[in-house]
């Protein structure tokens, strides 16, 4: 409510708002209401005196906080500093400047939303300032906090912290969306209305593990779900993850898409759904499943499986009908309010979107209010339909749009509507836009509908059967202007997309013609051919560009493979499945390995030219804990290469994968034999052979031999130019010198981590993190060690890379032994023993012997058995908990005792 103390007129124009809030006020009221009441009285007095002394006005109280406005930005900052110095309670403050008009003793508009979010991101005693205020002040000492995503805001804000004498300077991380794990996209448009609905849904998701937003297509289910998810993000420590199901054509592929979105790799002996449930067990996260309606049964089965197997996971689903899963709470999403006329949510949405495409649009123009209100009413308040209509404001008036609705939406004009399905209202809106297209535009829009995850100009030109990109550009531009195709700029390149409802409508139109098969064939052929070109570029210095391409086009690659495999086009399916697994290996994405294995029998029967490459790709199953199958695939590839009947493949690939599979199968000596032979060759084989030696030799007590070839390995990798092998060589240098020259090793690993970040190599970022962590703990920064261990564990767990996850747990065994926590070390060791890949960890046998001597046989065996009985998720949780406890102990003690390695472990 407006403050009764405001008697003078509130300032308008460019003003600065100061919002405050007491941190932890609810707990304080519950613990001691009388003390809190007295403290709040003093708090109010301090704030009001400081605000009014600097020319500000308090115009509203919000719970235990105040909202004040200043005509002068410098005065607002000074008032905040003055008050903060004298406040006894922990008060967080936020300041933002912008245009605002006072109405009835209050303010409205986007600046108010921004200042509220800025304030909410801070902590008690902290003053946060948005860039809009910083631009208006001069005498303020600021700490730049960077560009941050705040809940409910469409774009990131540049934030600063005020630094002044008497104020605290060190605070916990800001409570911003980007501080929370997950993949929620930044919304490019403002969220209008539905505030009460967001609050209600946030409460429901907290009380029910499955909440489904149901309603007609285009009513705003997705946008509402994303808003709720963003509000709840801080409540889920393992993040909020969006899985967009719109691109799923085959319900059977739904688990694969979900697994990819959550970075889960299918495990041997488990279905993909069971693998997801196992990977998510014990993780506190929210999954947003968007657009379930076309794969309803598959979505229901999958959700039921991982809700049953992962008790700490919550799901927020959007669909046109309920999933009908036990425990589901269904929440119908209503249309936007229209009854309030010009003050309604629907009219506000139309106005905002119309203004975005036409800055000259004014609702006050003669006849516009009535026309817009009628448009929104006849579109039943359906958000997407309103947005499509508003987009026409770029070249039409609202009255002209209304006249077209009279022609195209007679079903909405009233009268008898019995039996009318509400989704037809949106279909009519899309049909109206579709009817305005010429034949070429309709043909191109139909071709757009076969893409998943968007497309570029070259792709749509090829899939549409054209050869002139400039002509295609004109057609795509026309579709963009008509709001039927979206655009996104990234890295100087334009990528196009299609709203899901439009995509489904255009796909239906395409299916009604005889061109559906031809369009899908062209799509599959284009990406199969493009994969081969990208593969040639991958094995060189331009690898980062290929990785970015593979990430952007992953949905299209999946769709192209799926179409080829389902239609029996073995050669095209093989072309994709033989190369994509290797291309995305640096990204630590292993779903395509299952493609290679899926098509393998058919490819063998057809004896396709690229069969050796397919076998090499399939051998990457070694990371999923199946090293023996990896060996068999790699050996079969080598045998075919020796026959010379198939397409040639770079010499060394089959040997590389066989050696890796032997390593993860515990046969390290065999890996050394293969790598030694490869290192004698030229080119690629020599590079990967040397890399393999630097990694394997220390594990069998031959560190001196590894050090002897470390420089040669790094030089060979750099000369070859492929960043993936350079990352491998840097990691090999770290392993070679780890025991005898740890500072040299640590420098190489730190360089490797930076290199992996620069060149987008998350596979090496995780691998080198575990090695660096072990060395940082004893020779570097202890906090860095804990952070690196946590990162490696999370990365391998999410990716389903259980081979390296086990090796990381084995490294933790060494870590906890050196810091005199033998029971923890033995338990973690037990959890690691399911994989032979633990043989990668240098001196692990000596550490195990040391643990047995310290604990005694009985206690040691009991700890190992406890760890071995843990599920993967339990082991990960246990490791994280012990790392947190270690950090807490160090924080309390204030120092780290550097314990030397266990006896015999050098």
């Amino acid at each position: 409510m407006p403050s009764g103390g405001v008697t003078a007129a509130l300032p308008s124009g460019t003003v600065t708002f100061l919002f405050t809030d007491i941190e932890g006020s609810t707990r304080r009221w519950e613990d001691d209401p009388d003390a809190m009441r007295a403290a709040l009285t003093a708090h109010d007095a301090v704030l009001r005196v400081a605000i009014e002394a600097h020319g500000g006005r308090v115009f509203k109280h919000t719970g235990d906080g105040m909202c004040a406005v200043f005509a002068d930005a410098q005065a607002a900052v000074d008032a905040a500093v003055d008050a903060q110095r004298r406040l006894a309670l922990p008060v967080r403050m936020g300041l933002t400047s912008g245009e605002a008009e006072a109405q009835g003793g209050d303010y409205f508009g986007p600046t108010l939303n921004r200042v509220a979010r800025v304030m909410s991101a801070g902590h008690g005693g902290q003053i946060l300032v948005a860039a809009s205020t910083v631009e208006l002040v001069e005498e303020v000492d600021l700490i730049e906090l960077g560009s941050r995503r705040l809940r409910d805001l469409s774009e990131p804000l540049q934030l600063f912290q005020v630094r002044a004498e008497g104020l605290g300077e060190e605070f916990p991380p800001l409570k911003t969306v980007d501080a929370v794990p997950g993949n929620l996209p930044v919304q490019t448009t403002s969220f209008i209305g539905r505030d009460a609905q967001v609050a209600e849904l946030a409460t429901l998701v907290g009380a029910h593990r499955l909440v489904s937003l149901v309603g007609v297509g285009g009513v705003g289910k997705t946008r509402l779900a994303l808003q709720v998810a963003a509000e709840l993000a801080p409540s889920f420590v393992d993040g909020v993850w969006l899985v967009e199901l719109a691109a799923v054509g085959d319900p059977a592929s739904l688990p694969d898409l979900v697994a990819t979105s959550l970075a889960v790799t299918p495990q041997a002996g488990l279905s993909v759904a069971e693998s997801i449930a196992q990977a998510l067990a014990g993780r506190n996260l929210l999954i947003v499943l968007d657009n379930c309606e076309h794969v309803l049964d598959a979505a229901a089965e999958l959700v039921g499986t991982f809700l049953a197997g992962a008790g700490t996971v919550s799901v927020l689903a959007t669909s046109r009908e309920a999933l009908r899963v036990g425990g589901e709470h269904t929440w119908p999403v209503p249309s936007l309010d229209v009854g309030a006329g010009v003050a309604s949510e629907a009219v506000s949405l139309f106005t905002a979107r119309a203004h975005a495409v036409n800055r000259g649009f004014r609702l006050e123009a003669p006849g516009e209010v009535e026309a817009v209100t009628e448009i929104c009413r006849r579109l039943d308040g359906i958000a997407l339909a309103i947005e499509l209509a508003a987009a026409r404001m770029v070249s039409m008036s609202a009255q002209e749009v209304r006249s077209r609705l009279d022609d195209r939406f007679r079903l909405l004009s009233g009268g008898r509507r019995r039996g009318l399905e509400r989704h037809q209202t949106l279909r009519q809106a899309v049909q109206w836009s579709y009817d305005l297209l010429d034949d070429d535009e309709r043909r191109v829009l139909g071709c757009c509908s076969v893409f998943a995850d968007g497309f570029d100009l070259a792709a749509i030109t090829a899939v549409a059967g054209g050869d002139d990109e400039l002509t295609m550009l004109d057609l795509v531009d026309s579709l963009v202007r008509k709001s039927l195709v979206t655009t996104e700029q990234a890295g100087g390149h334009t990528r196009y997309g299609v709203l899901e409802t439009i995509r489904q409508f255009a796909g239906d139109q395409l299916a009604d013609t005889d061109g559906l098969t031809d369009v899908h064939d062209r799509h599959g052929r284009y990406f199969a051919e493009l994969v081969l070109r990208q593969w040639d570029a991958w094995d060189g210095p331009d690898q980062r560009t290929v990785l970015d391409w593979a990430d952007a086009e992953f949905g299209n690659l999946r769709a192209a493979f799926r179409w080829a495999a389902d239609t029996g086009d073995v050669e095209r399916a093989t072309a994709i499945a033989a190369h994509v697994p290797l291309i995305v290996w640096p990204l630590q994405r292993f779903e395509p390995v299952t493609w290679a294995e899926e098509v393998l029998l058919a490819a063998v029967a057809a004896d396709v030219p690229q069969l050796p490459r397919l076998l090499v790709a399939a051998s990457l199953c070694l990371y999923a804990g199946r090293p023996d199958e990896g060996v068999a695939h790699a050996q079969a590839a080598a045998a075919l290469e020796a026959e010379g009947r198939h397409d040639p493949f770079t010499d060394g690939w089959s040997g590389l994968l066989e050696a890796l599979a032997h390593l993860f199968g515990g046969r390290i000596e065999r890996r050394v034999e293969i790598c030694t032979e490869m290192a004698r060759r030229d080119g690629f084989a020599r590079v990967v052979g040397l890399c393999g030696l630097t990694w394997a030799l220390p594990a069998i007590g031959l560190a001196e031999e590894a050090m002897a070839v470390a420089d040669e390995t790094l030089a060979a990798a750099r000369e070859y130019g492929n960043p993936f092998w350079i990352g491998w060589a840097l990691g090999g240098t770290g392993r070679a010198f780890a025991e005898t020259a740890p500072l040299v090793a640590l420098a190489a690993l730190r360089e490797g981590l930076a290199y992996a970040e620069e060149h987008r190599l998350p596979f090496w970022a995780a691998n080198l993190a575990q090695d660096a962590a072990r060395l940082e703990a004893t020779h570097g920064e202890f906090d860095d060690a804990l952070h690196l261990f946590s990162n490696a564990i999370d990365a391998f767990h999410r990716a389903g890379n259980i081979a390296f996850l086990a090796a990381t747990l084995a490294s933790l065994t060494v870590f906890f032994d050196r810091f005199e926590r033998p029971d923890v070390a033995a338990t973690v060791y037990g959890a690691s023993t399911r994989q032979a890949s633990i043989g990668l960890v240098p001196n692990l046998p000596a550490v195990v012997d040391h643990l047995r001597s310290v604990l005694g046989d009985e206690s040691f065996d009991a700890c190992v058995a406890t760890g071995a009985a843990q599920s993967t998720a339990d082991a990960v949780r246990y490791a994280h908990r012990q790392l947190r406890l270690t950090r807490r102990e160090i924080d309390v003690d204030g120092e780290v005792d550097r314990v030397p390695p266990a006896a015999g472990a050098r």
Side-chain angles (χ1 to χ4, degrees), residues 131 143-150 155-160 174 176-179 186:
I143 300 173
E144 185 172 353
L145 302 178
S147 182
R148 301 301 184 99
R149 287 181 58 195
L150 305 180
E155 296 179 355
L157 287 185
Q158 192 77 15
L159 296 184
F160 300 81
L174 296 184
T176 57
V177 175
D178 50 13
V186 175

Side-chain angles (χ1 to χ4, degrees), residues 568-864:
D569 190 341
V570 179
E571 288 199 14
R572 194 169 294 163
T574 298
I576 296 171
H579 298 92
V580 174
L582 300 174
I583 289 175
V584 300
W585 183 5
L587 298 177
Q588 198 160 220
R589 299 182 73 161
F590 298 116
E591 177 196 337
V593 180
T594 65
W595 308 348
E597 293 185 295
E598 176 185 339
V599 78
L600 187 56
L601 287 178
V604 169
D607 197 28
V608 296
Q610 295 177 337
L611 182 55
R613 303 182 182 203
L614 183 67
L615 284 162
V616 167
S619 64
L620 285 170
C621 67
L622 63 95
Y623 288 110
R626 292 184 282 128
D628 292 343
E629 291 178 44
V631 169
H633 291 325
Q635 289 177 342
L640 291 179
E641 290 170 1
E643 294 178 6
R645 296 184 296 104
H646 300 82
D647 286 352
F649 201 30
T650 303
D651 177 44
W653 269 105
S654 57
L656 162 65
L657 270 300
E658 182 185 351
L660 278 172
H662 280 304
L663 175 69
F664 291 128
R667 298 174 290 274
I668 301 178
E669 290 81 0
R670 180 59 184 142
R671 171 182 169 88
V672 170
E673 291 174 4
I674 295 173
C675 290
T676 299
E677 188 277 327
M678 291 173 63
R680 298 190 185 105
R681 304 185 210 167
D682 296 324
F684 172 79
R686 175 172 176 265
V687 171
V688 296
L690 288 169
C691 286
L693 288 175
T694 58
W695 276 67
L697 287 170
I700 57 173
L702 299 176
E704 290 188 6
E705 287 82 346
M707 288 188 290
V709 297
D711 288 345
E712 180 185 359
T713 300
L714 192 52
R718 284 176 168 152
E719 181 180 359
Y720 191 76
N722 181 318
F724 192 52
W725 313 128
I726 295 173
W728 197 337
L730 288 167
T733 300
R735 283 188 167 257
F737 287 90
E739 299 304 314
T740 58
L743 295 182
V744 174
L746 192 53
L749 291 171
R750 287 170 175 169
E751 180 184 352
L753 287 168
Y755 188 86
E757 179 71 22
E758 177 186 357
H759 292 273
R760 195 177 187 182
L761 305 172
F763 180 87
W764 290 125
N767 272 281
L768 273 58
Q770 63 154 328
D771 287 341
R774 195 167 60 248
L775 292 176
E776 292 282 10
T778 50
H779 304 285
E781 297 295 330
F782 191 81
D783 280 346
D784 288 349
L786 299 176
H787 179 69
L788 289 167
F789 268 130
S790 292
N791 283 356
I793 291 169
D794 280 341
F796 291 135
H797 188 214
R798 286 195 305 268
N801 189 343
I802 61 174
F804 267 118
L805 176 59
T808 305
L809 294 177
S811 291
L812 270 182
T813 300
V814 178
F815 168 81
F816 285 125
D817 175 56
R818 289 187 174 182
F819 285 89
E820 298 181 336
R821 300 187 66 187
D823 55 334
V824 174
T827 304
V828 172
Y829 171 69
S832 76
T833 54
R834 288 188 289 267
Q835 295 293 320
S837 56
I838 63 176
L840 280 167
V841 179
N843 302 312
L844 182 62
V847 169
V848 172
D849 289 343
H850 180 254
L851 290 173
R852 184 179 291 277
S853 68
V854 170
L855 291 171
D857 289 344
E858 184 176 349
S859 295
F860 174 80
D861 290 340
C863 289
V864 170

Side-chain angles (χ1 to χ4, degrees), residues 26 82 132 170 184 287 443 559 597 643 820:
T26 301
D82 185 18
S132 58
E170 298 293 330
L184 287 184
I287 300 173
R443 178 179 61 83
E597 293 185 295
E643 294 178 6
E820 298 181 336

Side-chain angles (χ1 to χ4, degrees), residues 443-502:
R443 178 179 61 83
V444 172
L445 186 61
C447 292
C448 292
S449 70
V450 306
F451 287 94
D453 295 349
F455 53 90
D456 58 20
L457 183 61
I460 186 58
T461 301
V463 172
D467 54 11
D468 184 351
E469 287 193 357
L470 290 180
T471 299
M472 183 57 60
L473 180 60
D474 290 339
L475 291 168
V476 174
D477 277 349
S478 179
L479 294 174
V480 171
R481 288 194 300 272
K482 294 177 172 65
S483 297
L484 294 172
V485 171
T486 62
T487 63
E488 181 181 358
Q489 300 288 333
H493 300 284
T494 300
R495 189 164 182 83
Y496 302 97
V498 181
L499 294 174
E500 168 54 20
T501 302
I502 305 299

Side-chain angles (χ1 to χ4, degrees), residues 113-347:
N113 296 332
R114 285 194 288 272
V115 68
R117 291 309 185 195
V118 169
M119 181 268 293
S120 298
H123 301 273
Q126 189 173 31
I127 303 174
L128 295 182
V129 185
S132 58
T133 300
V134 171
E135 293 171 356
L136 302 176
V137 299
E138 295 181 359
E139 300 176 2
V140 180
D141 187 8
L142 299 169
I143 300 173
E144 185 172 353
L145 302 178
S147 182
R148 301 301 184 99
R149 287 181 58 195
L150 305 180
R151 297 198 306 274
D152 198 25
L153 301 188
S154 60
E155 296 179 355
L157 287 185
Q158 192 77 15
L159 296 184
F160 300 81
Q161 176 184 314
V162 175
R163 177 163 48 195
E165 185 177 353
L167 300 188
E169 188 170 324
E170 298 293 330
F171 295 93
L174 296 184
K175 292 177 283 188
T176 57
V177 175
D178 50 13
V180 179
N183 65 344
L184 287 184
V186 175
Q187 297 304 307
T188 57
T189 57
S190 57
F191 184 76
I192 296 175
R194 301 193 189 276
D195 289 344
Q197 296 172 17
V198 169
E200 179 183 348
L201 281 167
T203 301
L204 284 174
V205 173
H208 303 273
R209 292 185 57 212
L210 171 60
V211 176
S212 295
L213 307 186
V214 299
V216 62
V219 76
K221 299 185 295 295
T222 297
R223 189 67 175 89
L224 179 58
L226 292 177
Q227 189 68 22
V228 173
E231 292 284 342
L232 288 171
S235 302
F236 291 89
V237 297
D238 291 312
V240 178
W241 301 87
L242 171 65
V243 183
E244 296 174 321
L245 306 184
V248 177
D250 180 5
S253 67
L254 173 60
D256 289 330
L257 173 62
V258 175
T260 298
S261 300
L262 300 176
V264 174
T265 297
Q267 303 298 306
L270 299 176
S271 68
V272 178
E274 291 168 339
S275 297
I276 296 171
Q278 183 184 87
L280 299 184
R283 296 174 64 191
N284 178 231
L285 52 79
L286 172 66
I287 300 173
V288 181
L289 284 181
D290 189 33
N291 290 305
C292 297
E293 57 271 358
H294 62 302
V295 287
L296 199 64
D297 291 340
E301 181 180 356
L302 180 63
V303 169
T305 298
F306 62 67
L307 283 183
T312 56
V313 172
S314 297
V315 177
L316 180 60
T318 74
S319 179
R320 297 188 186 183
E321 59 181 299
L323 299 181
R324 298 186 179 92
V325 174
E328 177 184 30
H329 186 95
T330 303
W331 199 89
V333 178
S335 298
L336 292 172
D337 167 58
V338 183
V342 69
S344 68
E345 295 174 340
V347 172

